[in-house]
Amino acid sequence: MVTEDEKAQIRLCMDALREGIEGFRSRRPQLEMIATVATTLAACRGEEDPPADGEHIAVVEAGTGTGKSFGALVPAMVMARSRGRRLVVSSSTVALQHQYAEKDAPTLQRSIPFGFTFAVAKGRRRYACAAKLAAAAAEAGQREIDLGDEPPATDTSADRRRRTIIIGLAENFDAERWNGDRDEFAVPVPDEIWSDLTTDRQGCSGNRCAEFARCPFYAARQRVKEADLVIANHDLVLSVMEMEAGSVLPAPSETIYVFDEAHSLAAKAVEHLSAKHALRGAQEWLRDSIEAVRNAVLAMRLPDSLLHDARASVEQLVAALDALRQRIHALRAFDEKKARRFKSGELPSWVRDAGESAQTAGRALEKTFAALREALLERAPSEGALATRVLSSLGFYVGKLENLLSTWELMLAQDAADEAPIARWIELHEDASGGADYLVCAAPISGSDRLRKLLWNRASAVVLMSATLTSCGTFDLFLRQSGLAIFRGLRLLRVESPFDYRSNAKLVIPAMRSDPANSEAHTREVVDRLPGLVRTRGTLVLFASAKQMRAVYGQVDEGLRRITLMQGTMPKMEMLARHRAAIDRGDSSVLFGLQSMAEGVDLPRDYCTHLVWVKLPFSVPDSPLEEARREWVESQGRSSFIEITLPETAVRFKQGLGRLLRTTEDQGTATVLDRRLVTKRWGGLLMRGLPDFEVIVEPVRGAPAGRRAQAST
């Protein structure tokens, strides 16, 4: 139960925000959200408490404009402070993480009546390695001295630019004008330069490094350990779930989590649990790893037996992978499809035998790498930069081997009888130079079990929120995918957007004569209709497939094409910037985009007053993972269309429509060029849970009177 003191603190915080932020208003939906979040967090659990039935978890769908960030942060900050918990706020994107760090958290710090500290948690690769930076800067400086005033022709502008950037980074770091965080350096650092200045877990010597005292990553980790509020992202939270509790983020039992944009969490969990590796590519890096081992043994004066053991394991592993590659190649099964899935996840004996041989040799190589790493770490304090360089080189191959072993662990795992199986497949991959390789791939078809065991059951309390957590009017899809469906005490809340959709927005279904199933006819009709639909300055046209988008762009008249920006022809951020600039000049601009433009894109006011869905965003289940997911549902006697396809389409459809109204003053029209929304029985399900648009269904001339759709209000 929320105490009277906690309620008073929440009210004081909200009053402070109203006074401190110009134009801030807390509307009824936000207050309703605050009450639900506070009640849920009052049920926070301790490590010794018996298993809960979901009372400590809230799932909140909050429409655009409800102020969900402060609606969750204010009660979470108060309850975490009162109950002695740490608060972790996790977002789905780096951009949203920056918003919390640069806008929301500082605003709270300035406004609310108690102090708190916050820190941003990022992966190790976002930070420079102090030892590698110092070594690279010393090398670049020496090169400058050696070249003198007249550099040779072989010294290219790219070489000079690289040296300038590295020296500049080192000077700013040494002078404490820069803390080693890539995102906080004034000038973007190119990937090819940054990759040589950072490291991963396998290449880091930790507190045995000579530069440990000024390591940017460990300094950031210390700030995270001391902060009251930790701003993270979903990828980081998921990646540390199986690590030692408290090693990167606070231990789950001590933590209140707030997941923003939680609709992406289940898909990210599957992505983190998946693994794949190339066959020919693995053979190449395995052979190269012997050179790295030889260099380590010679440079650090290590026992020759380490090189002998590594070479023996590599030979066995390469032989196993090569035999598998040749067997796959002989099948010639990839002429029509680029991926071949093992039905029901069952491997043929020749794949299993090759995998077991690779796994045995890989584990032996893993032990040799571990012995090498330990020997290098022992010498790190005395050898300094040399040890760092050798360890980093070896660490690259350690990471590659870990991934290979993870892949075969999934491939060879025994599927539990009562759980969803693992999808397993071989994929043909062609690189930019035209070379072909085979990828061995495995992925669980759901991350729900892992999320439940490692997060929901261990967390002190959790709030999950997004503008799109329901589909077809229910939370069912999200709860199934995220592993929350079994919790009976779960708190579910859906708060509507405060926007007046009925007065400010229309949903129009034109009298289309073509069926989207006939792609050519539908594309021709879309091309004919689009010029008449571009009647305001800012138009966003969303497509369900890149093929149709390109076809429409190629066929529209020159006048429309001249003002249209198409996704894929330039970076997304540049496209949005050009669109906004055109509108600001008073010109018209049209955006052609795919699903990634249907979420996370903010186009308020005149930037988007007309949104066009060309076709309902059904996904084509052509990926082996999606095929396996649907196959498993059907094998249980259920309908994959009703259980997966339709709800997922409803989410994408609603996300796209959410681009239309972004502020209380916005007005606009959404047009859907797909009559199935009103002609198919399932169309009504897609309409459930949508904002309260005025819906206009244009009648098709010549249609039977009894079947002619009428305008709806």
Side-chain angles (χ1 to χ4, degrees), residues 266-303:
K268 284 186 175 290
V270 171
E271 184 180 323
H272 273 265
L273 295 169
S274 306
K276 62 182 177 183
H277 80 81
L279 290 178
R280 182 168 55 81
Q283 293 172 252
E284 291 174 358
W285 67 253
L286 280 165
R287 294 189 182 101
D288 291 344
S289 72
I290 294 301
E291 188 65 24
V293 173
R294 180 185 292 108
N295 290 340
V297 168
L298 293 176
M300 309 299 285
R301 301 173 300 282
L302 303 177

Side-chain angles (χ1 to χ4, degrees), residues 294-600:
R294 180 185 292 108
N295 290 340
V297 168
L298 293 176
M300 309 299 285
R301 301 173 300 282
L302 303 177
D304 291 341
S305 59
L306 291 171
L307 177 59
H308 176 271
D309 292 345
R311 184 180 287 114
S313 298
V314 164
E315 288 175 356
Q316 294 173 25
L317 185 47
V318 166
L321 296 179
D322 190 55
L324 179 59
R325 185 181 65 84
Q326 292 189 37
R327 179 69 182 266
I328 293 170
H329 188 68
L331 293 175
R332 301 189 181 281
F334 296 89
D335 293 337
E336 297 179 1
K337 295 182 68 175
K338 297 299 182 184
R340 291 292 178 177
R341 182 174 59 87
F342 299 108
K343 192 172 176 62
S344 302
E346 297 179 5
L347 297 179
S349 58
W350 55 272
V351 175
R352 183 168 291 279
D353 291 346
E356 288 174 349
S357 298
Q359 194 175 54
T360 299
R363 285 173 177 165
L365 182 59
E366 185 179 42
K367 290 180 180 178
T368 303
F369 280 171
L372 262 171
R373 175 177 167 78
E374 186 56 37
L376 290 171
L377 288 174
E378 288 179 1
R379 288 162 171 75
S382 58
E383 297 291 345
L386 176 61
T388 298
R389 188 162 55 250
V390 173
L391 189 64
S392 179
S393 176
L394 180 67
F396 171 81
Y397 298 105
V398 173
K400 288 281 191 181
L401 181 61
E402 283 184 355
N403 178 67
L404 184 148
L405 289 172
S406 295
T407 302
W408 283 108
E409 183 178 351
L410 271 179
M411 289 290 285
L412 300 173
Q414 184 69 38
D415 291 335
D418 57 340
E419 294 182 1
I422 294 169
R424 301 171 174 92
W425 69 96
I426 305 292
E427 193 172 306
L428 177 64
H429 173 70
E430 296 179 354
D431 58 30
S433 63
D437 200 352
Y438 298 105
L439 301 180
V440 179
C441 311
I445 66 173
S446 171
S448 60
D449 293 329
R450 195 68 64 91
L451 282 170
R452 185 169 58 251
K453 293 172 183 174
L454 296 181
L455 200 49
W456 314 142
N457 286 343
R458 297 166 64 196
S460 181
V462 183
V463 176
L464 300 110
M465 61 185 189
S466 172
T468 49
L469 290 181
T470 64
S471 58
C472 301
T474 75
F475 285 97
D476 293 352
L477 177 69
F478 176 73
L479 297 182
R480 277 199 310 271
Q481 291 180 338
S482 59
L484 293 166
I486 70 163
F487 293 110
R488 291 175 296 178
L490 199 68
R491 287 181 173 84
L492 303 176
L493 175 66
R494 183 181 176 194
V495 291
E496 299 291 348
S497 167
F499 298 168
D500 187 354
Y501 281 88
R502 174 64 61 166
S503 300
N504 295 330
K506 296 178 181 179
L507 178 63
V508 179
I509 300 115
M512 299 286 291
R513 291 188 170 276
S514 60
D515 190 309
N518 185 336
S519 181
E520 290 187 9
H522 185 252
T523 296
R524 284 197 301 270
E525 187 169 2
V526 170
V527 170
D528 291 340
R529 283 184 175 272
L530 267 184
L533 294 175
V534 180
R535 51 182 178 263
T536 63
R537 285 197 291 143
T539 303
L540 172 60
V541 184
L542 294 172
F543 292 83
S545 79
K547 181 179 179 181
Q548 187 178 34
M549 179 178 71
R550 290 190 293 267
V552 170
Y553 182 81
Q555 295 177 42
V556 294
D557 63 70
E558 181 60 29
L560 178 55
R561 191 182 305 120
R562 194 164 46 245
I563 63 170
T564 297
L565 300 165
M566 183 172 67
Q567 189 172 1
T569 60
M570 66 189 75
K572 180 178 170 182
M573 297 309 294
E574 180 184 345
M575 185 170 73
L576 292 172
R578 288 192 187 186
H579 174 76
R580 293 188 182 103
I583 303 298
D584 291 341
R585 291 194 305 268
D587 298 333
S588 295
S589 180
V590 180
L591 293 169
F592 275 17
L594 300 169
Q595 181 58 38
S596 62
M597 292 283 286
E599 56 178 314

Side-chain angles (χ1 to χ4, degrees), residues 87-377:
L87 176 59
V88 171
V89 175
S90 177
S91 63
S92 62
T93 64
V94 172
L96 189 53
Q97 189 178 19
H98 285 168
Q99 177 186 310
Y100 274 108
E102 297 167 11
K103 180 182 176 183
D104 296 339
T107 298
L108 282 175
Q109 270 188 332
R110 291 191 303 267
S111 304
I112 64 176
F114 57 83
F116 70 91
T117 58
F118 74 89
V120 178
K122 304 177 185 179
R124 194 187 301 260
R125 285 286 191 182
R126 303 308 299 176
Y127 299 95
C129 167
K132 294 181 77 172
L133 177 60
E139 183 179 334
Q142 185 60 49
R143 177 69 172 160
E144 291 281 296
I145 294 171
D146 293 343
L147 291 173
D149 296 328
E150 297 183 7
T154 54
D155 186 41
T156 65
S157 60
D159 293 333
R160 293 192 292 275
R161 179 169 177 263
R162 175 186 175 85
R163 292 197 300 272
T164 300
I165 291 174
I166 290 174
I167 292 171
L169 288 168
E171 288 177 347
N172 279 277
F173 182 66
D174 291 340
E176 298 184 354
R177 293 189 297 267
W178 175 57
N179 64 3
D181 183 335
R182 183 181 186 181
D183 302 315
E184 295 187 19
F185 195 65
V187 180
V189 183
D191 290 344
E192 63 273 14
I193 296 177
W194 186 259
S195 63
D196 291 337
L197 303 178
T198 186
T199 190
D200 53 19
R201 175 174 54 86
Q202 294 84 5
C204 177
S205 53
N207 59 10
R208 304 191 211 187
C209 176
E211 298 284 354
F212 178 75
R214 62 182 199 138
C215 173
F217 171 70
Y218 281 101
R221 177 177 287 190
Q222 188 59 38
R223 291 193 295 271
V224 166
K225 287 184 177 181
E226 296 170 354
D228 302 305
L229 165 63
V230 178
I231 300 169
N233 57 65
H234 299 349
D235 289 309
L236 181 63
V237 173
L238 292 168
S239 67
V240 303
M241 281 197 308
E242 295 187 7
M243 292 185 183
E244 180 184 352
S247 59
V248 177
L249 296 175
S253 61
E254 302 168 1
T255 303
I256 288 173
Y257 293 93
V258 173
F259 290 99
D260 199 352
E261 298 296 301
H263 63 270
S264 65
L265 197 59
K268 284 186 175 290
V270 171
E271 184 180 323
H272 273 265
L273 295 169
S274 306
K276 62 182 177 183
H277 80 81
L279 290 178
R280 182 168 55 81
Q283 293 172 252
E284 291 174 358
W285 67 253
L286 280 165
R287 294 189 182 101
D288 291 344
S289 72
I290 294 301
E291 188 65 24
V293 173
R294 180 185 292 108
N295 290 340
V297 168
L298 293 176
M300 309 299 285
R301 301 173 300 282
L302 303 177
D304 291 341
S305 59
L306 291 171
L307 177 59
H308 176 271
D309 292 345
R311 184 180 287 114
S313 298
V314 164
E315 288 175 356
Q316 294 173 25
L317 185 47
V318 166
L321 296 179
D322 190 55
L324 179 59
R325 185 181 65 84
Q326 292 189 37
R327 179 69 182 266
I328 293 170
H329 188 68
L331 293 175
R332 301 189 181 281
F334 296 89
D335 293 337
E336 297 179 1
K337 295 182 68 175
K338 297 299 182 184
R340 291 292 178 177
R341 182 174 59 87
F342 299 108
K343 192 172 176 62
S344 302
E346 297 179 5
L347 297 179
S349 58
W350 55 272
V351 175
R352 183 168 291 279
D353 291 346
E356 288 174 349
S357 298
Q359 194 175 54
T360 299
R363 285 173 177 165
L365 182 59
E366 185 179 42
K367 290 180 180 178
T368 303
F369 280 171
L372 262 171
R373 175 177 167 78
E374 186 56 37
L376 290 171
L377 288 174

